[in-house]
Amino acid sequence: MAIDIIRILAFIFIVLLHTVNIQYGVNIWILLYGIISIGVNLFIMVSGYLLLDKSEKMSVFFKKRIKGIFPLFIFFNVVYIFVNKVKIMPVLQGKEIVAPHFWYIYMILGLYFITPWLQKVLKFAKKETFIILILWFLCSILNPHLIKFDLPRIPFSHFPITEFIGYYILGYYIKVDRNKIKKVPFSIIIIIYLIGFFISAISTKYVLLKTGNRISDFFDKNSLGTFFMTVSFFTFFIKFDFKNRNEIVKIIANSTYFAFLVHLLVLKIVTKISDEMIFKSFSTVIISILLGIVYEIFVKKFFAKLKL
């Protein structure tokens, strides 16, 4: 059930990334933005946690992913084309995406394409792959932070490691080593999370005071502080030893894919009612999840009976 809870919270964080603003002051924005900046990373780690320790035939793996992702994704592409009045040809040519949050689907599909290879690599070369993970951290997480402050940086800063593959593999390592992780005190995990938060918050505040510019770079998905927050947040919930999977939590968690795809449509409608941050944030989260639940309970089951 821990993974279900993480998926739900990750979805909420992603929605809030699209609704949080400086309406209540910069300090509140920094506080909220710091907390919610880990949403995408959590989703990627969940995928790595669930997929990378399996041994499936490549055909079986791709069949499951295609069936789980493409029908809804294609449907919402059509919906957003009409709603956002997007020209079809640039989309078909790969020059444009119909909705800004769809970049995540293309990214996760890229990770899925290399998953059968990664499953075999991690099975027989776990220790060797950890070296790649360290290189990813140095190049994609630490280096950008050092560069921002004009500090000495790792010389191989353009080492060709995919931006998000590290979080994907980290999900795997946390799963296979979860018995060791469960021995780590909660206090240590919380301290690591707070260190990550303050790295991002203080860095953002420093740049704001020095230059007058409010930037979100230090809360970026691959920022140093966000890295520490992501990993500690994920391990915090993994440490809980849930005996059974709660059915309500399971349904909500399963609804998050539909909710993710639809949430910008919901936000567009909600904003017409009120642009107040708290109202539009909670309304978008709740309505999107409710629509996802309706899809899971009724629509999906209906098509399952038709064997579509």
Side-chain angles (χ1 to χ4, degrees):
M1 193 169 75
I3 289 297
D4 289 334
I5 294 172
I6 294 171
R7 285 172 65 192
I8 294 168
L9 291 174
F11 166 73
I12 293 172
F13 292 163
I14 288 172
V15 173
L16 296 183
L17 277 173
H18 298 143
T19 58
V20 166
N21 52 44
I22 58 169
Q23 188 173 1
Y24 295 102
V26 173
N27 290 331
I28 297 297
W29 175 81
I30 290 174
L31 172 64
L32 293 175
Y33 215 84
I35 294 170
I36 64 180
S37 62
I38 63 177
V40 168
N41 296 346
L42 290 176
F43 265 138
I44 297 168
M45 289 185 70
V46 165
S47 294
Y49 185 95
L50 295 175
L51 298 176
L52 289 179
D53 69 324
K54 294 184 176 181
S55 297
E56 296 176 302
K57 287 184 178 180
M58 192 163 62
S59 58
V60 173
F61 175 83
F62 284 126
K63 185 178 179 180
K64 287 181 180 178
R65 304 290 87 71
I66 290 170
K67 188 177 179 181
I69 292 177
F70 273 99
L72 269 183
F73 185 50
I74 292 170
F75 171 77
F76 275 104
N77 265 275
V78 175
V79 171
Y80 278 102
I81 283 173
F82 284 102
V83 172
N84 295 338
K85 298 178 181 178
V86 179
K87 293 181 180 179
I88 297 177
M89 282 310 298
V91 175
L92 295 176
Q93 293 170 351
K95 296 178 180 179
E96 190 172 340
I97 58 174
V98 300
H101 61 314
F102 281 6
W103 71 267
Y104 173 82
I105 305 299
Y106 292 110
M107 179 275 298
I108 202 69
L109 285 172
L111 289 177
Y112 286 165
F113 275 120
I114 65 171
T115 294
W117 167 73
L118 271 178
Q119 288 172 337
K120 289 180 173 59
V121 169
L122 288 167
K123 185 176 181 180
F124 297 105
K126 180 186 172 186
K127 292 182 180 178
E128 291 81 356
T129 307
F130 192 73
I131 296 173
I132 301 299
L133 199 58
I134 293 172
L135 289 173
W136 168 80
F137 172 81
L138 293 174
C139 300
S140 296
I141 303 296
L142 181 60
N143 250 5
H145 197 83
L146 298 176
I147 291 168
K148 280 288 179 185
F149 292 99
D150 199 27
L151 296 170
R153 73 287 310 262
I154 312 302
F156 41 85
S157 60
H158 296 292
F159 192 81
I161 300 177
T162 305
E163 190 175 8
F164 292 103
I165 197 172
Y167 288 112
Y168 196 48
I169 297 174
L170 270 171
Y172 162 83
Y173 276 102
I174 288 174
K175 186 172 187 178
V176 297
D177 292 327
R178 60 187 177 277
N179 290 329
K180 295 179 182 177
I181 288 171
K182 286 181 179 180
K183 295 177 182 178
V184 179
F186 276 110
S187 58
I188 299 297
I189 294 173
I190 293 170
I191 288 170
I192 293 171
Y193 178 88
L194 292 174
I195 288 172
F197 176 81
F198 283 115
I199 287 173
S200 294
I202 292 171
S203 299
T204 302
K205 191 71 173 179
Y206 172 80
V207 172
L208 178 64
L209 293 173
K210 188 174 181 180
T211 67
N213 296 323
R214 177 178 63 90
I215 63 171
S216 59
D217 297 38
F218 297 109
F219 296 119
D220 187 64
K221 301 162 192 69
N222 275 20
S223 70
L224 184 63
T226 303
F227 170 82
F228 288 123
M229 285 190 286
T230 301
V231 177
S232 55
F233 189 95
F234 194 94
T235 53
F236 179 86
F237 284 96
I238 293 301
K239 275 177 60 65
F240 286 99
D241 191 18
F242 295 105
K243 299 298 181 184
N244 299 306
R245 193 179 183 191
N246 184 281
E247 280 301 312
I248 296 175
V249 174
K250 176 184 174 182
I251 291 171
I252 296 173
N254 289 340
S255 75
T256 54
Y257 178 53
F258 184 98
F260 170 77
L261 293 173
V262 80
H263 84 271
L264 284 190
L265 290 173
V266 175
L267 177 59
K268 194 170 187 176
I269 296 169
V270 166
T271 304
K272 291 180 179 179
I273 301 172
S274 174
D275 197 34
E276 197 275 328
M277 187 180 75
I278 296 175
F279 170 80
K280 69 180 181 182
S281 298
F282 280 95
S283 298
T284 303
V285 168
I286 292 169
I287 295 171
S288 299
I289 287 178
L290 286 175
L291 290 173
I293 291 172
V294 169
Y295 171 78
E296 283 293 316
I297 294 177
F298 299 105
V299 181
K300 194 173 179 180
K301 287 186 177 180
F302 173 75
F303 283 112
K305 287 180 180 179
L306 297 177
K307 296 182 178 181
L308 293 176

